[in-house]
Amino acid sequence: MALAVCGLAVPVLVVQTVRHGQRIEPIVLSCASAVMFLLLMLRVSDLLAKIVAAGRREHGRLQRFLDAIPVGVDVRAADTGEPVYVNGVARRILGYDPGRYTSLDQLPNLYATGTGSRSRRSASPSTRPGRGTSRASTT
Protein backbone atom coordinates (compact mmCIF):
# COMPACT_ATOMS: atom_id res chain seq x y z
CA MET A 1 0.00 0.00 0.00
CA ALA A 2 2.83 2.36 0.86
CA LEU A 3 4.42 1.69 -2.53
CA ALA A 4 1.19 2.63 -4.28
CA VAL A 5 0.92 5.91 -2.36
CA CYS A 6 4.54 6.81 -3.07
CA GLY A 7 4.16 5.77 -6.70
CA LEU A 8 1.22 8.14 -7.09
CA ALA A 9 2.62 10.98 -5.00
CA VAL A 10 5.85 11.51 -6.96
CA PRO A 11 4.23 12.03 -10.40
CA VAL A 12 1.43 14.14 -8.88
CA LEU A 13 3.95 16.48 -7.24
CA VAL A 14 5.85 16.86 -10.51
CA VAL A 15 2.65 17.56 -12.48
CA GLN A 16 1.41 20.08 -9.89
CA THR A 17 4.72 21.91 -9.96
CA VAL A 18 4.63 22.20 -13.77
CA ARG A 19 0.97 23.34 -13.75
CA HIS A 20 1.75 26.27 -11.50
CA GLY A 21 4.36 27.47 -13.96
CA GLN A 22 7.30 26.67 -11.80
CA ARG A 23 10.40 25.45 -13.50
CA ILE A 24 11.56 21.98 -12.59
CA GLU A 25 15.25 21.32 -12.65
CA PRO A 26 16.36 18.33 -14.71
CA ILE A 27 17.86 16.78 -11.57
CA VAL A 28 14.41 16.81 -9.91
CA LEU A 29 12.87 15.12 -12.94
CA SER A 30 15.67 12.56 -12.96
CA CYS A 31 15.15 11.82 -9.28
CA ALA A 32 11.39 11.52 -9.76
CA SER A 33 11.94 9.14 -12.68
CA ALA A 34 14.39 7.09 -10.66
CA VAL A 35 11.93 6.81 -7.76
CA MET A 36 9.12 5.76 -10.10
CA PHE A 37 11.40 3.21 -11.78
CA LEU A 38 12.46 1.81 -8.41
CA LEU A 39 8.83 1.49 -7.30
CA LEU A 40 7.95 -0.23 -10.56
CA MET A 41 10.80 -2.71 -10.14
CA LEU A 42 9.71 -3.46 -6.57
CA ARG A 43 6.20 -4.17 -7.83
CA VAL A 44 7.48 -6.39 -10.64
CA SER A 45 9.67 -8.26 -8.17
CA ASP A 46 6.69 -8.81 -5.90
CA LEU A 47 4.56 -10.12 -8.77
CA LEU A 48 7.31 -12.46 -9.94
CA ALA A 49 7.71 -13.86 -6.44
CA LYS A 50 3.96 -14.54 -6.31
CA ILE A 51 4.04 -16.24 -9.72
CA VAL A 52 6.97 -18.46 -8.71
CA ALA A 53 5.23 -19.41 -5.45
CA ALA A 54 2.03 -20.28 -7.34
CA GLY A 55 4.03 -22.39 -9.80
CA ARG A 56 5.65 -24.29 -6.95
CA ARG A 57 2.26 -24.94 -5.35
CA GLU A 58 0.84 -26.25 -8.63
CA HIS A 59 3.93 -28.39 -9.22
CA GLY A 60 3.47 -29.91 -5.77
CA ARG A 61 -0.23 -30.58 -6.44
CA LEU A 62 0.59 -32.28 -9.75
CA GLN A 63 3.29 -34.41 -8.16
CA ARG A 64 0.97 -35.50 -5.34
CA PHE A 65 -1.68 -36.40 -7.92
CA LEU A 66 0.76 -38.43 -10.03
CA ASP A 67 2.04 -40.21 -6.91
CA ALA A 68 -1.52 -41.11 -5.87
CA ILE A 69 -2.98 -42.46 -9.12
CA PRO A 70 -2.85 -46.24 -9.68
CA VAL A 71 -1.16 -45.88 -13.08
CA GLY A 72 2.53 -46.08 -13.87
CA VAL A 73 3.91 -42.71 -15.01
CA ASP A 74 7.34 -42.24 -16.58
CA VAL A 75 7.82 -38.70 -17.91
CA ARG A 76 10.83 -38.10 -20.16
CA ALA A 77 12.35 -35.01 -21.76
CA ALA A 78 11.22 -34.99 -25.38
CA ASP A 79 14.58 -33.95 -26.80
CA THR A 80 16.93 -36.19 -24.79
CA GLY A 81 14.79 -38.98 -23.34
CA GLU A 82 16.18 -38.26 -19.88
CA PRO A 83 13.85 -38.99 -16.96
CA VAL A 84 11.90 -36.05 -15.58
CA TYR A 85 9.55 -37.92 -13.25
CA VAL A 86 8.77 -41.55 -12.42
CA ASN A 87 6.08 -42.53 -9.91
CA GLY A 88 6.15 -45.50 -7.53
CA VAL A 89 3.53 -47.46 -9.49
CA ALA A 90 5.79 -47.45 -12.58
CA ARG A 91 8.64 -48.79 -10.47
CA ARG A 92 6.42 -51.58 -9.03
CA ILE A 93 4.95 -52.57 -12.41
CA LEU A 94 8.30 -52.68 -14.18
CA GLY A 95 10.25 -54.16 -11.29
CA TYR A 96 13.02 -51.59 -11.61
CA ASP A 97 13.46 -47.82 -11.44
CA PRO A 98 13.17 -46.43 -14.97
CA GLY A 99 14.55 -43.15 -13.64
CA ARG A 100 18.00 -44.77 -13.47
CA TYR A 101 18.18 -44.92 -17.25
CA THR A 102 19.11 -41.70 -19.00
CA SER A 103 17.78 -42.63 -22.45
CA LEU A 104 14.95 -44.74 -23.86
CA ASP A 105 17.46 -47.04 -25.59
CA GLN A 106 18.73 -48.17 -22.18
CA LEU A 107 15.35 -49.26 -20.80
CA PRO A 108 15.36 -53.08 -20.53
CA ASN A 109 11.60 -53.68 -20.99
CA LEU A 110 10.70 -51.33 -23.83
CA TYR A 111 9.10 -53.26 -26.69
CA ALA A 112 7.15 -52.23 -29.78
CA THR A 113 3.42 -52.85 -29.37
CA GLY A 114 2.26 -56.26 -30.68
CA THR A 115 5.79 -57.49 -31.37
CA GLY A 116 8.48 -59.23 -29.45
CA SER A 117 11.14 -56.85 -30.74
CA ARG A 118 12.72 -54.08 -28.74
CA SER A 119 11.50 -50.57 -29.47
CA ARG A 120 13.92 -48.09 -31.01
CA ARG A 121 14.26 -44.51 -29.79
CA SER A 122 13.64 -43.29 -33.34
CA ALA A 123 10.21 -45.00 -33.26
CA SER A 124 9.23 -43.29 -30.00
CA PRO A 125 6.38 -40.76 -30.15
CA SER A 126 8.60 -38.31 -28.29
CA THR A 127 10.90 -38.01 -31.33
CA ARG A 128 8.15 -37.23 -33.86
CA PRO A 129 8.02 -33.46 -33.28
CA GLY A 130 11.75 -33.20 -33.96
CA ARG A 131 11.29 -35.02 -37.27
CA GLY A 132 8.34 -32.82 -38.27
CA THR A 133 5.76 -35.63 -38.16
CA SER A 134 2.64 -35.71 -36.04
CA ARG A 135 1.47 -39.32 -36.43
CA ALA A 136 3.01 -42.74 -36.53
CA SER A 137 3.94 -43.90 -40.00
CA THR A 138 1.48 -46.38 -41.51
CA THR A 139 4.03 -48.02 -43.81
Side-chain angles (χ1 to χ4, degrees), residues 54-132:
R56 286 187 180 133
R57 281 192 307 274
E58 290 303 311
H59 180 266
R61 285 183 61 213
L62 176 62
Q63 189 161 358
R64 285 191 302 277
F65 170 76
L66 292 174
D67 286 339
I69 61 174
V71 175
V73 178
D74 180 4
V75 179
R76 302 264 167 179
D79 55 344
T80 62
E82 292 183 16
V84 175
Y85 171 81
V86 179
N87 72 356
V89 176
R91 290 183 190 99
R92 278 196 312 275
I93 290 171
L94 296 171
Y96 63 91
D97 181 7
R100 290 188 337 212
Y101 302 96
T102 58
S103 75
L104 293 177
D105 294 330
Q106 295 175 339
L107 291 172
N109 297 337
L110 191 61
Y111 293 92
T113 304
T115 71
S117 63
R118 292 197 29 85
S119 179
R120 297 177 325 277
R121 166 114 168 89
S122 60
S124 170
S126 67
T127 63
R128 288 188 201 133
R131 293 193 317 255

Side-chain angles (χ1 to χ4, degrees), residues 9-33 36:
V10 171
V12 167
L13 289 173
V14 170
V15 169
Q16 289 298 323
T17 304
V18 171
R19 269 194 194 153
H20 295 337
Q22 297 173 351
R23 184 170 182 268
I24 297 179
E25 295 296 324
I27 190 73
V28 173
L29 287 175
S30 297
C31 289
S33 296
M36 289 188 302

